[in-house]
Amino acid sequence: MEARDQMLVRMYLVLALLAAVPLAIAGQMLRIQLGEGEMLRAQGQRQIRAVVPIPAMRGEILDRTGRALAVNVARYDLALDPEEEGFTEARARVLYERLARLTGQPAAYFRQRVARRKSPRYVVLWRGLSEAQKTEIEHWDIPGVILEPHFSRYYPYGSLAAHVLGYVGTDGRGLAGVELQYDRYLQGHPGRRVVQRDRRGVLKPMVGGEVVEPEHGQTLVLTIDLIRQTILEEELQRGVWEAGANWGTAIAMDPRTGAVLALANVPDFDPNQPTAASEEARRNRAITDRLEPGSTFKLVTAVAALEQGVASLDEVIDTGAGWAVFGGRMMRDVHAYGRISFAEALVVSSNVGIAKVATRLKRGVLYQYARNLGFGQPTWIDLPGEVTGTLKRPAQWSGTTLTSMSIGYEVDATPLQVLTAYCALANGGLLVQPYVVAERRTLTGEVVWRMRPDSIRRAFRRETAQQLLPVFERVVNEGTGKAAHIEGLPVAGKTGTAFKAVGGRYQSGAYRASFVGFFPADDPLVALIVVLDEPKRSIYGGQVAAPIFRRVAERWIGTFPKIAERMALTQELPKRPVRPVPSVIGQPMAVAATRLWAEGLEVSTSAMDPLLVARQRPAPADSVPLRTDVRLELAALDSLAPKMPNLIGLSARQAVYWLQTYGTRVRLEGHGRVVAQWPTPGAALPAEAYLRCQ
């Protein structure tokens, strides 16, 4: 075969192969369409579909009256797509300069963020913009700007009730307080929305796309009252400062139900910026700090002694010279009290007297009564971080534990445990469970759960509480707690002063001072404990903690109508003074009204000058109270016989005005008010009258 024919064959072969390529492609397309079309179409739909979460709003936290203590506020993150059509260099310069004025950051900061972005079409420029800032940026109308909304937690009252509320993390989840304890109820459940993604990855709404609405978090209603909480924090802060203490804590409860009325710690922190405060400031010492309660624990010894019949309140105990040795360890009183009754030993807080009574008790008895009153176990308050305290079993006791424990040593308790024990004294012997959340509600306000207060157990008999109540009133009226006394309001309580143990050893000169009590003592509505750590002004609870109790109680009285009514003045109001009604008959209306007003009386008439007073009720010289309404009946000038009126006491201007109404000339001597006149009242009106004024 010639070379020319070979070339033609090759050319035709190549052309045939080239012609077969489209046929092969068409065949492959037909095969894919018929064999894999449905699968590929479904896969394509899945690729252009995207599921965008719809965040759920965290539930609000309200005080007992509905004031918002924790809310959600809208915040916006500002992002940018630098490749968006219309985003020119000139527009970029305008955007960066305006952002610099809005945020305080230099324009170069935003330019560098864009230049160093990892994604070609997305970069976050600023986070946490407010609603007003977001609106301003929208008005700029710059292409490529993306504003991404989200909710942020906000505490409108700052540090108020911070240790109760707690705070949330950057992910919106609770990290402390009720924010943590009730996080699963506050959090809610996010929804979702199906959207469409184009080839550039931009998300767009999809017609008919599935939407699952979020389930927003529940609202918590606390037992805390904003006003009472504010007062407690202010007075605790003042007390810590005046005493020179390291820290202080105070808790108030309704002794009948266990509802926490207020809880405060000093120092505190702002939950809007929790990381700005130290860990110590964020610590809720009311439930996390164990301390030896000191003399406030003497309640346990008194209850055990009375119920076991080993002592009576009027039994005389010899406290000697103010000291005694128990188990080889000396115990002292502040003063030498000599022979005093068991009740007086509680009133003056005699360590020796209480310890002598305790020696009559068996180990297991005192231990059991301490357990009954909640020591050595949690109170189960609905706040995170509570510790149980320490209460040694009788098998672990040493030779001094019985007498030491009887006065509040060799036992650790939280301030809340001590308060709960005194709530039992206030309510007649029932141990109640403290709580801070009263209700949970939906976003629409429907109550889905409500706390039903209940007692944990009966700690001691009601009769025992009735016996001890007057004794603890005497502590305030005549004993160590006199600084908590409030005139007109019965208060019962107990002071406490205890050595402070550091590293298992008592630190020289370091004490904790406390006062716990309740009011009104005969119908308790509030139980309150105050604890100060290492006060410098005085180590005694009666001198540094009791005054805080008193000031809080005095300021709280107005928030309890029942107590406020009881404290209101009962004496009768003074009777309204009475005075005789002056005669204004025959006087012009203007002069008559002025005279009556000057006497503290009211005037009832609708007419004015130039009419004269014809009659008046009440009648002249009648005695009436101040502010009595005197009704005047008027007549024309020519209807009454003109007589000289009594002008004594009127101003010179008023007297001249009256006389000139009848055309009488007036001769004046002096200035001021009329003290003498001629002619005398009732005489015929002359052509000329004489008036002396001064």
Side-chain angles (χ1 to χ4, degrees):
M1 183 180 294
E2 295 181 2
R4 182 175 178 276
D5 294 335
Q6 290 179 351
M7 291 178 61
L8 288 174
V9 170
R10 291 174 182 171
M11 183 179 66
Y12 291 142
L13 182 60
V14 170
L15 290 174
L17 292 173
L18 291 175
V21 170
L23 294 175
I25 294 174
Q28 181 69 2
M29 291 176 62
L30 182 61
R31 184 190 67 79
I32 293 174
Q33 178 71 19
L34 295 177
E36 304 178 17
E38 287 298 326
M39 180 191 69
L40 293 175
R41 276 191 293 272
Q43 185 176 353
Q45 287 295 321
R46 287 195 299 271
Q47 289 178 346
I48 66 172
R49 287 162 56 94
V51 177
V52 176
I54 305 175
M57 281 199 304
R58 191 172 180 84
E60 293 186 341
I61 303 177
L62 313 177
D63 83 338
R64 66 187 300 146
T65 63
R67 303 182 187 95
L69 302 179
V71 297
N72 303 301
V73 293
R75 289 288 184 262
Y76 300 86
D77 293 342
L78 173 64
L80 179 67
D81 178 3
E83 302 297 325
E84 179 72 18
E85 183 179 354
F87 186 73
T88 62
E89 181 59 32
R91 290 290 186 92
R93 185 169 55 255
V94 171
L95 175 64
Y96 303 152
E97 290 175 355
R98 289 180 177 178
L99 284 177
R101 291 195 296 271
L102 188 67
T103 64
Q105 287 284 356
Y109 169 82
F110 301 103
R111 188 178 299 278
Q112 289 175 4
R113 287 193 67 86
V114 174
R116 297 174 182 175
R117 68 187 185 276
K118 296 180 180 179
S119 172
R121 305 210 58 162
Y122 183 84
V123 59
V124 176
L125 298 181
W126 197 259
R127 296 187 185 275
L129 293 169
S130 66
E131 187 73 35
Q133 291 172 320
K134 171 246 187 185
T135 303
E136 182 177 347
I137 292 173
E138 287 178 334
H139 289 161
W140 297 347
D141 194 23
I142 296 178
V145 168
I146 305 168
L147 287 163
E148 300 173 332
H150 62 89
F151 290 104
S152 177
R153 202 61 160 168
Y154 177 63
Y155 303 89
Y157 296 99
S159 62
L160 189 78
H163 294 93
V164 175
L165 297 174
Y167 52 90
V168 300
T170 55
D171 60 354
R173 293 190 175 274
L175 297 179
V178 295
E179 292 276 26
L180 172 59
Q181 187 76 13
Y182 289 85
D183 187 63
R184 59 175 174 160
Y185 302 108
L186 291 165
Q187 191 77 302
H189 301 284
R192 62 182 183 275
R193 176 187 290 112
V194 176
V195 297
Q196 186 176 9
R197 180 187 287 111
D198 64 14
R199 66 180 185 275
R200 296 182 300 174
V202 178
L203 300 180
K204 299 179 180 179
M206 174 180 286
V207 178
E210 180 188 11
V211 176
V212 177
E213 295 295 335
E215 181 182 339
H216 298 300
Q218 296 178 7
T219 297
L220 301 184
V221 180
L222 304 185
T223 58
I224 301 292
D225 177 82
L226 177 67
I227 304 301
R228 296 172 189 160
Q229 179 71 28
T230 302
I231 293 171
L232 185 65
E233 292 189 13
E234 289 176 351
E235 293 301 341
L236 181 62
Q237 179 70 59
R238 172 185 171 185
V240 169
W241 180 81
E242 289 179 345
N246 294 336
W247 54 261
T249 186
I251 323 143
M253 281 173 54
D254 183 337
R256 303 163 301 175
T257 64
V260 174
L261 305 177
L263 187 154
N265 290 280
V266 174
D268 57 11
F269 68 98
D270 186 350
N272 293 301
Q273 298 176 313
T275 56
S278 66
E279 184 178 346
E280 290 293 307
R282 298 197 301 268
R283 191 168 170 177
N284 188 358
R285 297 183 182 275
I287 62 174
T288 63
D289 279 30
R290 293 190 294 259
L291 50 89
E292 289 180 301
S295 294
T296 56
F297 194 83
K298 291 174 181 175
L299 168 66
V300 180
T301 308
V303 168
L306 292 180
E307 295 215 329
Q308 293 301 306
V310 300
S312 62
L313 290 174
D314 55 1
E315 178 184 346
V316 175
I317 302 168
D318 187 3
T319 64
W323 62 270
V325 177
F326 300 95
R329 181 176 298 176
M330 181 178 290
M331 185 177 294
R332 295 182 180 276
D333 285 337
V334 177
H335 303 288
Y337 299 111
R339 294 173 59 81
I340 57 176
S341 68
F342 182 30
E344 289 173 330
L346 290 169
V347 171
V348 299
S349 200
S350 168
N351 293 330
V352 174
I354 300 300
K356 282 191 172 183
V357 171
T359 57
R360 306 173 189 176
L361 293 168
K362 296 179 180 179
R363 292 184 173 191
V365 170
L366 185 59
Y367 170 82
Q368 189 58 54
Y369 274 96
R371 290 284 295 180
N372 290 347
L373 280 162
F375 293 96
Q377 55 198 301
T379 65
W380 305 112
I381 188 173
D382 49 345
L383 285 173
E386 183 185 20
V387 299
T388 60
T390 304
L391 181 64
K392 294 189 293 185
R393 294 181 179 275
Q396 302 170 316
W397 287 14
S398 67
T400 61
T401 300
L402 178 62
T403 52
S404 294
M405 184 182 292
S406 70
I407 63 171
Y409 287 95
E410 294 194 41
V411 55
D412 287 336
T414 64
L416 182 60
Q417 286 175 321
V418 177
L419 178 63
T420 305
Y422 275 80
C423 285
L425 174 63
N427 65 33
L430 294 175
L431 190 69
V432 294
Q433 178 181 343
Y435 64 97
V436 297
V437 175
E439 290 180 358
R440 297 200 316 266
R441 300 175 182 172
T442 64
L443 186 66
T444 58
E446 179 186 357
V447 177
V448 296
W449 174 85
R450 180 177 285 116
M451 178 65 179
R452 288 179 171 79
D454 194 10
S455 60
I456 298 175
R457 60 177 166 269
R458 175 162 289 283
F460 52 89
R461 294 191 297 267
R462 179 177 294 276
E463 295 76 18
T464 305
Q466 292 172 345
Q467 280 184 278
L468 285 173
L469 186 59
V471 178
F472 284 88
E473 280 191 74
R474 288 179 59 193
V475 172
V476 175
N477 294 332
E478 57 189 81
T480 57
K482 285 187 287 187
H485 176 75
I486 301 173
E487 191 65 36
L489 182 67
V491 177
K494 187 72 185 74
T495 57
T497 303
F499 289 104
K500 178 181 176 180
V502 179
R505 299 177 63 87
Y506 291 119
Q507 185 176 353
S508 176
Y511 295 85
R512 286 195 174 107
S514 60
F515 181 86
V516 56
F518 46 89
F519 62 90
D522 51 359
D523 185 18
L525 298 179
V526 179
L528 171 62
I529 185 172
V530 179
V531 180
L532 300 182
D533 179 65
E534 293 191 40
K536 305 300 187 297
R537 184 172 66 84
S538 171
I539 65 172
Y540 298 110
Q543 296 183 18
V544 292
I548 300 174
F549 178 100
R550 186 195 71 248
R551 292 195 296 262
V552 171
E554 288 173 340
R555 294 180 63 185
W556 273 24
I557 288 171
T559 68
F560 291 91
K562 188 175 181 180
I563 302 178
E565 182 180 356
R566 176 174 180 166
M567 295 288 290
L569 295 175
T570 57
Q571 62 266 31
E572 294 184 5
L573 294 175
K575 296 181 179 180
R576 295 170 62 187
V578 297
R579 61 183 59 198
V581 180
S583 175
V584 294
I585 295 174
Q587 297 183 5
M589 175 59 199
V591 175
T594 302
R595 179 68 181 272
L596 293 171
W597 287 333
E599 294 293 333
L601 302 172
E602 299 293 336
V603 177
S604 176
T605 184
S606 58
M608 292 299 290
D609 288 347
L611 301 181
L612 302 176
V613 177
R615 284 179 294 276
Q616 67 179 76
R617 294 195 303 271
D622 284 356
S623 295
V624 298
L626 291 175
R627 313 296 295 178
T628 296
D629 192 19
V630 179
R631 184 167 184 79
L632 304 179
E633 296 183 17
L634 306 179
L637 290 175
D638 56 0
S639 64
L640 297 175
K643 294 183 179 180
M644 187 66 178
N646 182 6
L647 302 176
I648 304 299
L650 293 181
S651 67
R653 179 177 297 179
Q654 291 172 327
V656 171
Y657 171 79
W658 193 95
L659 292 170
Q660 287 181 345
T661 301
Y662 287 94
T664 300
R665 297 188 304 275
V666 180
R667 292 174 56 193
L668 281 175
E669 178 185 338
H671 302 280
R673 296 193 173 273
V674 177
V675 296
Q677 68 177 71
W678 182 89
T680 58
L685 194 65
E688 184 178 66
Y690 168 79
L691 303 176
R692 183 159 59 87
C693 305
Q694 67 178 23

